[in-house]
Each structure stands twice: as structure tokens, then as C-alpha cells.
């Protein structure tokens, strides 16, 4: 069973529509992240949350919002989708309590196309 | 699969060769580094990590080298296999920021 799941895996929508991408994790981690991936640009951080009451903007948060409904769930919303938000979106988790580094575990991704 | 990294630098090797993938990082305050592997249609997967108080760390068939003087990180894959074909990303954690900053990636192509 996957530790980090994302729904939907693929979505095609039209400009102006509201879209929600969902992420769930069974790893028991307190930290969760949303990234987008574009060709040649690597992974860019949209929002992150270090616990249920904590929400922080990443480097490209404009046009996005998030909700941390529970420790295990972190959703990303596009209030009014636009074509340049077409990308691959990844959710990730990490554990602040570990003695290791800040390794992040990624979900399988959501491919979003905005027409 | 999706077109991840259309314009990525690409390293092409023959099966059985050793591969070296390089990464330059930007911040001298970075204290932790990770290499990730991303196969087509999947999310990034952890390969190996290294802390800034180390110069070298070895895993199974993989070695990470860290040169803090020139802010350079490399991933060495021994006896490269077709299953190693993927995009490889380095990521750095900047001390105090508690977030990872990812490089743009290198595509490794392994031919039989």
C-alpha cells in the first residue's frame, strides 16, 4: 500500500474552474508539502505545513491555497485555474521527530491540464 | 509517461559502466543533501543522503561525494543497469529554513 496517495492522478479542466487536489499519508508524519514540476524547472514549493495549525507559503504560492484538514490530509486548491498552472503536482511528507535529515517522501503525482 | 524534463541535461551510458551525476548547490549554509530518483510516471524516490559534516557516504551501488569548498555534490552509480534510467535530482536543506531546495535534474539513459 502506498504511504502517500494523491487524488486525482490526472485531471483536465477549463480556465476559470476551481480545482482541488488531495493528498493523504499513512506515515504518521507531521510535515506535508505541495510542489509543482515543470519541464526543465525541477520541483518548486507551493505551500507547506509543519502541523495541523501551521500553513506557510512556498516560492510560488500565488493562485493556490491549501487546507490541512488533519495530520494525514493536505489539500491544494486552484481557485480559478489558468493554463500556466498546467503541470505535475506532487505532495510530500517528512517527519520532524526523526534523528535523520529532512528526507521527504513523495506521492505519485497529479497531472493537471488547464485548457 | 509524462514529459518530465524535456530540456534536462542528459547522461548516456552503457549497461555495466559507472555513472557520475553532478550537482552544484548554491548556499554555503546548506547542511544536508539528498539525491532523488524519478522514474517516468512516478514521484521522486529517495536514494541516499549526506550531512555537511561528511565528505562521502556509500549505499548499495551508490556513493555520494560532497565537496563543500566548491559547493559540489555528486552521485556515483556502480555497474549501471537499465533500471537505473531515470531523472536524478539533488536537493539541499538550508540550515534554519527546514525546507528542501531542488536542483533541475539530470536524465540518465542506460543502454543495454
Amino acid at each position: 500500500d502506498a504511504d502517500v496517495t494523491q487524488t486525482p492522478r490526472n485531471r483536465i479542466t477549463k480556465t476559470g474552474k476551481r480545482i482541488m487536489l488531495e493528498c493523504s499519508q499513512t506515515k504518521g508524519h507531521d510535515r506535508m508539502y505541495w510542489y509543482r514540476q515543470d519541464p526543465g524547472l525541477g520541483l518548486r514549493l507551493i505551500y507547506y505545513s509543519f502541523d495541523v495549525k501551521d500553513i506557510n507559503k512556498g516560492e510560488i504560492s500565488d493562485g493556490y491555497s491549501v487546507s490541512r484538514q488533519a495530520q494525514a490530509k493536505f489539500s491544494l486548491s486552484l481557485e480559478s485555474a489558468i493554463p500556466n498552472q498546467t503541470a505535475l503536482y506532487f505532495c510530500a511528507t517528512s517527519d520532524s521527530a526523526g534523528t535523520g535529515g529532512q528526507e521527504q517522501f513523495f506521492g505519485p503525482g497529479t497531472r493537471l491540464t488547464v485548457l | 509517461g509524462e514529459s518530465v524534463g524535456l530540456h534536462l541535461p542528459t547522461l548516456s551510458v552503457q549497461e555495466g559502466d559507472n555513472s557520475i551525476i553532478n550537482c552544484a548547490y548554491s548556499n554555503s549554509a546548506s547542511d544536508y543533501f539528498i539525491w532523488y530518483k524519478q522514474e517516468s510516471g512516478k514521484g521522486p524516490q529517495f536514494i541516499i543522503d549526506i550531512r555537511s559534516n561528511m565528505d562521502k557516504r556509500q549505499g548499495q551501488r551508490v556513493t555520494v561525494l560532497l565537496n563543500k569548498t566548491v559547493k559540489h555534490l555528486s552521485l556515483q552509480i556502480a555497474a549501471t543497469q537499465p533500471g537505473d534510467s531515470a531523472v536524478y535530482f539533488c536537493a539541499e536543506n538550508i540550515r534554519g529554513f527546514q525546507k528542501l531546495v531542488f536542483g533541475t535534474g539530470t536524465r540518465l539513459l542506460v543502454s543495454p
Side-chain angles (χ1 to χ4, degrees), chain B residues 42-79:
Chain B
K42 297 183 179 179
Q45 294 177 288
F46 172 88
I47 303 173
I48 192 168
D49 59 359
I50 188 168
R51 293 198 170 278
S52 59
N53 60 354
M54 302 172 68
D55 298 321
K56 179 179 180 179
R57 190 164 188 222
Q58 288 184 292
Q60 186 177 12
R61 280 200 311 119
V62 295
T63 300
V64 55
L65 298 177
L66 176 62
N67 185 330
K68 294 180 287 294
T69 302
V70 295
K71 296 201 281 291
H72 183 268
L73 193 68
S74 69
L75 176 71
Q76 300 179 359
I77 305 174

Short mmCIF file of all heavy atoms in Angstrom, two decimals, chain B residues 42-79:
data_model
loop_
_atom_site.label_atom_id
_atom_site.label_comp_id
_atom_site.label_asym_id
_atom_site.label_seq_id
_atom_site.Cartn_x
_atom_site.Cartn_y
_atom_site.Cartn_z
N LYS B 42 6.22 8.51 -12.05
CA LYS B 42 6.27 8.31 -10.61
C LYS B 42 6.80 9.55 -9.91
O LYS B 42 7.39 10.43 -10.52
CB LYS B 42 7.18 7.12 -10.28
CG LYS B 42 6.69 5.79 -10.83
CD LYS B 42 7.60 4.66 -10.40
CE LYS B 42 7.11 3.32 -10.93
NZ LYS B 42 8.01 2.21 -10.52
N GLY B 43 6.59 9.58 -8.61
CA GLY B 43 7.15 10.65 -7.81
C GLY B 43 8.60 10.37 -7.49
O GLY B 43 9.08 9.24 -7.63
N PRO B 44 9.34 11.39 -7.06
CA PRO B 44 10.75 11.19 -6.70
C PRO B 44 10.90 10.18 -5.55
O PRO B 44 10.09 10.16 -4.62
CB PRO B 44 11.19 12.59 -6.26
CG PRO B 44 10.25 13.52 -6.95
CD PRO B 44 8.94 12.80 -6.98
N GLN B 45 11.94 9.38 -5.64
CA GLN B 45 12.22 8.39 -4.59
C GLN B 45 13.60 8.64 -4.02
O GLN B 45 14.56 8.88 -4.76
CB GLN B 45 12.18 6.98 -5.19
CG GLN B 45 10.80 6.54 -5.67
CD GLN B 45 10.89 5.17 -6.31
OE1 GLN B 45 11.42 5.02 -7.40
NE2 GLN B 45 10.39 4.17 -5.62
N PHE B 46 13.70 8.54 -2.72
CA PHE B 46 14.96 8.75 -2.01
C PHE B 46 16.00 7.70 -2.43
O PHE B 46 15.68 6.52 -2.53
CB PHE B 46 14.69 8.64 -0.51
CG PHE B 46 15.93 8.64 0.36
CD1 PHE B 46 16.46 9.82 0.81
CD2 PHE B 46 16.52 7.44 0.73
CE1 PHE B 46 17.58 9.82 1.62
CE2 PHE B 46 17.65 7.42 1.54
CZ PHE B 46 18.17 8.61 1.99
N ILE B 47 17.24 8.17 -2.69
CA ILE B 47 18.32 7.23 -2.98
C ILE B 47 19.30 7.21 -1.82
O ILE B 47 19.59 6.17 -1.24
CB ILE B 47 19.07 7.63 -4.27
CG1 ILE B 47 18.13 7.72 -5.46
CG2 ILE B 47 20.19 6.63 -4.54
CD1 ILE B 47 18.83 8.26 -6.69
N ILE B 48 19.85 8.37 -1.52
CA ILE B 48 20.89 8.45 -0.50
C ILE B 48 20.99 9.90 -0.02
O ILE B 48 20.65 10.82 -0.76
CB ILE B 48 22.25 7.96 -1.06
CG1 ILE B 48 23.28 7.77 0.06
CG2 ILE B 48 22.77 8.88 -2.15
CD1 ILE B 48 24.53 7.01 -0.38
N ASP B 49 21.45 10.06 1.20
CA ASP B 49 21.62 11.41 1.74
C ASP B 49 23.00 11.56 2.38
O ASP B 49 23.71 10.57 2.58
CB ASP B 49 20.51 11.76 2.75
CG ASP B 49 20.47 10.80 3.95
OD1 ASP B 49 21.29 9.85 4.00
OD2 ASP B 49 19.59 10.99 4.82
N ILE B 50 23.36 12.80 2.67
CA ILE B 50 24.65 13.06 3.31
C ILE B 50 24.55 14.37 4.08
O ILE B 50 23.92 15.33 3.62
CB ILE B 50 25.79 13.11 2.27
CG1 ILE B 50 27.15 13.19 2.96
CG2 ILE B 50 25.61 14.28 1.29
CD1 ILE B 50 28.32 12.94 2.01
N ARG B 51 25.14 14.39 5.24
CA ARG B 51 25.19 15.62 6.04
C ARG B 51 26.46 16.40 5.71
O ARG B 51 27.44 15.83 5.23
CB ARG B 51 25.16 15.27 7.53
CG ARG B 51 23.85 14.66 7.96
CD ARG B 51 23.66 14.74 9.46
NE ARG B 51 22.31 14.37 9.84
CZ ARG B 51 21.28 15.19 9.80
NH1 ARG B 51 21.45 16.42 9.38
NH2 ARG B 51 20.08 14.78 10.17
N SER B 52 26.44 17.66 6.02
CA SER B 52 27.55 18.52 5.62
C SER B 52 28.83 18.24 6.41
O SER B 52 29.90 18.72 6.03
CB SER B 52 27.17 20.00 5.79
OG SER B 52 26.82 20.28 7.13
N ASN B 53 28.74 17.46 7.48
CA ASN B 53 29.96 17.13 8.24
C ASN B 53 30.64 15.87 7.68
O ASN B 53 31.59 15.35 8.27
CB ASN B 53 29.65 16.95 9.73
CG ASN B 53 28.66 15.83 9.99
OD1 ASN B 53 28.10 15.26 9.06
ND2 ASN B 53 28.43 15.55 11.26
N MET B 54 30.15 15.41 6.53
CA MET B 54 30.73 14.23 5.88
C MET B 54 31.17 14.62 4.47
O MET B 54 30.65 15.57 3.88
CB MET B 54 29.69 13.11 5.80
CG MET B 54 29.14 12.68 7.15
SD MET B 54 27.76 11.55 6.98
CE MET B 54 28.59 10.11 6.31
N ASP B 55 32.12 13.84 3.94
CA ASP B 55 32.59 14.05 2.57
C ASP B 55 32.09 12.96 1.63
O ASP B 55 32.02 13.15 0.41
CB ASP B 55 34.12 14.05 2.51
CG ASP B 55 34.71 15.17 3.31
OD1 ASP B 55 34.13 16.28 3.28
OD2 ASP B 55 35.73 14.96 3.98
N LYS B 56 31.75 11.82 2.21
CA LYS B 56 31.41 10.67 1.38
C LYS B 56 30.47 9.77 2.15
O LYS B 56 30.59 9.62 3.35
CB LYS B 56 32.70 9.90 1.04
CG LYS B 56 32.52 8.65 0.20
CD LYS B 56 33.87 8.01 -0.07
CE LYS B 56 33.75 6.75 -0.90
NZ LYS B 56 35.08 6.14 -1.17
N ARG B 57 29.54 9.19 1.40
CA ARG B 57 28.66 8.20 2.01
C ARG B 57 28.32 7.17 0.96
O ARG B 57 28.04 7.51 -0.19
CB ARG B 57 27.39 8.87 2.54
CG ARG B 57 26.56 7.93 3.39
CD ARG B 57 25.54 8.66 4.21
NE ARG B 57 24.91 7.72 5.15
CZ ARG B 57 23.62 7.70 5.41
NH1 ARG B 57 22.81 8.55 4.81
NH2 ARG B 57 23.14 6.82 6.26
N GLN B 58 28.31 5.91 1.38
CA GLN B 58 28.07 4.84 0.42
C GLN B 58 26.81 4.09 0.75
O GLN B 58 26.47 3.86 1.91
CB GLN B 58 29.26 3.88 0.41
CG GLN B 58 30.50 4.47 -0.24
CD GLN B 58 31.64 3.46 -0.34
OE1 GLN B 58 32.19 3.06 0.68
NE2 GLN B 58 31.98 3.07 -1.54
N GLY B 59 26.11 3.70 -0.32
CA GLY B 59 24.96 2.84 -0.18
C GLY B 59 25.17 1.62 -1.06
O GLY B 59 26.29 1.30 -1.45
N GLN B 60 24.08 0.97 -1.39
CA GLN B 60 24.19 -0.19 -2.27
C GLN B 60 24.34 0.29 -3.71
O GLN B 60 23.43 0.88 -4.27
CB GLN B 60 22.94 -1.04 -2.13
CG GLN B 60 23.01 -2.34 -2.91
CD GLN B 60 21.79 -3.21 -2.71
OE1 GLN B 60 20.78 -2.76 -2.18
NE2 GLN B 60 21.87 -4.45 -3.12
N ARG B 61 25.49 0.12 -4.29
CA ARG B 61 25.83 0.54 -5.66
C ARG B 61 25.89 2.05 -5.85
O ARG B 61 26.16 2.52 -6.95
CB ARG B 61 24.87 -0.04 -6.71
CG ARG B 61 25.13 -1.45 -7.11
CD ARG B 61 24.51 -1.82 -8.47
NE ARG B 61 23.12 -1.45 -8.59
CZ ARG B 61 22.65 -0.60 -9.51
NH1 ARG B 61 23.47 0.02 -10.35
NH2 ARG B 61 21.36 -0.35 -9.56
N VAL B 62 25.59 2.82 -4.84
CA VAL B 62 25.63 4.27 -4.97
C VAL B 62 26.56 4.89 -3.93
O VAL B 62 26.67 4.39 -2.82
CB VAL B 62 24.22 4.92 -4.86
CG1 VAL B 62 23.33 4.50 -6.01
CG2 VAL B 62 23.58 4.58 -3.53
N THR B 63 27.21 5.97 -4.36
CA THR B 63 28.09 6.73 -3.47
C THR B 63 27.81 8.20 -3.70
O THR B 63 27.69 8.64 -4.86
CB THR B 63 29.57 6.45 -3.78
OG1 THR B 63 29.83 5.05 -3.60
CG2 THR B 63 30.48 7.25 -2.85
N VAL B 64 27.69 8.96 -2.63
CA VAL B 64 27.54 10.41 -2.75
C VAL B 64 28.82 11.05 -2.22
O VAL B 64 29.32 10.66 -1.17
CB VAL B 64 26.28 10.93 -2.03
CG1 VAL B 64 26.26 10.52 -0.57
CG2 VAL B 64 26.16 12.42 -2.17
N LEU B 65 29.34 12.00 -2.98
CA LEU B 65 30.52 12.77 -2.58
C LEU B 65 30.13 14.22 -2.42
O LEU B 65 29.40 14.77 -3.25
CB LEU B 65 31.62 12.64 -3.64
CG LEU B 65 32.16 11.23 -3.89
CD1 LEU B 65 33.18 11.27 -5.02
CD2 LEU B 65 32.77 10.64 -2.64
N LEU B 66 30.63 14.84 -1.37
CA LEU B 66 30.32 16.23 -1.09
C LEU B 66 31.62 17.02 -1.01
O LEU B 66 32.50 16.70 -0.20
CB LEU B 66 29.54 16.35 0.22
CG LEU B 66 29.23 17.74 0.72
CD1 LEU B 66 28.34 18.49 -0.27
CD2 LEU B 66 28.57 17.68 2.10
N ASN B 67 31.73 18.06 -1.81
CA ASN B 67 32.87 18.97 -1.77
C ASN B 67 32.36 20.34 -1.39
O ASN B 67 31.83 21.08 -2.23
CB ASN B 67 33.57 19.00 -3.13
CG ASN B 67 34.83 19.84 -3.10
OD1 ASN B 67 34.94 20.81 -2.34
ND2 ASN B 67 35.80 19.49 -3.93
N LYS B 68 32.50 20.66 -0.12
CA LYS B 68 31.94 21.91 0.38
C LYS B 68 32.75 23.12 -0.09
O LYS B 68 32.21 24.23 -0.15
CB LYS B 68 31.88 21.87 1.91
CG LYS B 68 30.88 20.83 2.44
CD LYS B 68 30.83 20.81 3.93
CE LYS B 68 32.07 20.17 4.55
NZ LYS B 68 32.18 18.73 4.25
N THR B 69 33.99 22.91 -0.41
CA THR B 69 34.83 24.03 -0.85
C THR B 69 34.29 24.66 -2.12
O THR B 69 34.25 25.88 -2.27
CB THR B 69 36.28 23.55 -1.08
OG1 THR B 69 36.77 22.99 0.14
CG2 THR B 69 37.17 24.70 -1.50
N VAL B 70 33.86 23.81 -3.05
CA VAL B 70 33.34 24.31 -4.32
C VAL B 70 31.83 24.13 -4.43
O VAL B 70 31.26 24.32 -5.49
CB VAL B 70 34.05 23.63 -5.51
CG1 VAL B 70 35.52 24.01 -5.52
CG2 VAL B 70 33.89 22.12 -5.48
N LYS B 71 31.20 23.74 -3.34
CA LYS B 71 29.74 23.53 -3.29
C LYS B 71 29.29 22.59 -4.40
O LYS B 71 28.47 22.94 -5.27
CB LYS B 71 29.01 24.87 -3.34
CG LYS B 71 29.29 25.76 -2.12
CD LYS B 71 28.22 26.82 -1.91
CE LYS B 71 28.36 27.99 -2.83
NZ LYS B 71 29.56 28.80 -2.52
N HIS B 72 29.83 21.40 -4.36
CA HIS B 72 29.55 20.42 -5.40
C HIS B 72 29.20 19.08 -4.77
O HIS B 72 29.83 18.64 -3.80
CB HIS B 72 30.79 20.28 -6.29
CG HIS B 72 30.59 19.35 -7.45
ND1 HIS B 72 30.91 18.01 -7.38
CD2 HIS B 72 30.10 19.57 -8.68
CE1 HIS B 72 30.62 17.45 -8.53
NE2 HIS B 72 30.13 18.36 -9.34
N LEU B 73 28.22 18.46 -5.35
CA LEU B 73 27.71 17.17 -4.90
C LEU B 73 27.70 16.22 -6.09
O LEU B 73 27.34 16.65 -7.20
CB LEU B 73 26.28 17.38 -4.40
CG LEU B 73 25.55 16.33 -3.60
CD1 LEU B 73 26.19 16.16 -2.24
CD2 LEU B 73 24.11 16.75 -3.43
N SER B 74 28.08 14.99 -5.89
CA SER B 74 27.99 14.04 -7.00
C SER B 74 27.39 12.72 -6.53
O SER B 74 27.50 12.36 -5.35
CB SER B 74 29.37 13.80 -7.63
OG SER B 74 30.21 13.10 -6.74
N LEU B 75 26.76 12.06 -7.46
CA LEU B 75 26.19 10.73 -7.22
C LEU B 75 26.87 9.76 -8.17
O LEU B 75 26.85 9.97 -9.38
CB LEU B 75 24.68 10.74 -7.48
CG LEU B 75 23.98 9.39 -7.35
CD1 LEU B 75 23.94 8.96 -5.89
CD2 LEU B 75 22.57 9.44 -7.93
N GLN B 76 27.48 8.74 -7.62
CA GLN B 76 28.13 7.73 -8.43
C GLN B 76 27.31 6.45 -8.34
O GLN B 76 26.97 6.00 -7.24
CB GLN B 76 29.56 7.48 -7.94
CG GLN B 76 30.43 8.73 -8.00
CD GLN B 76 31.83 8.48 -7.49
OE1 GLN B 76 32.18 7.39 -7.06
NE2 GLN B 76 32.65 9.52 -7.55
N ILE B 77 26.99 5.90 -9.50
CA ILE B 77 26.26 4.64 -9.58
C ILE B 77 27.18 3.61 -10.20
O ILE B 77 27.64 3.79 -11.34
CB ILE B 77 24.97 4.78 -10.41
CG1 ILE B 77 24.10 5.91 -9.86
CG2 ILE B 77 24.20 3.46 -10.41
CD1 ILE B 77 22.88 6.21 -10.72
N ALA B 78 27.45 2.55 -9.47
CA ALA B 78 28.34 1.49 -9.96
C ALA B 78 27.55 0.48 -10.79
O ALA B 78 26.38 0.20 -10.49
CB ALA B 78 29.02 0.81 -8.79
N ALA B 79 28.20 -0.02 -11.83
CA ALA B 79 27.60 -1.07 -12.66
C ALA B 79 26.17 -0.71 -13.04
O ALA B 79 25.21 -1.42 -12.71
CB ALA B 79 27.65 -2.41 -11.93
#
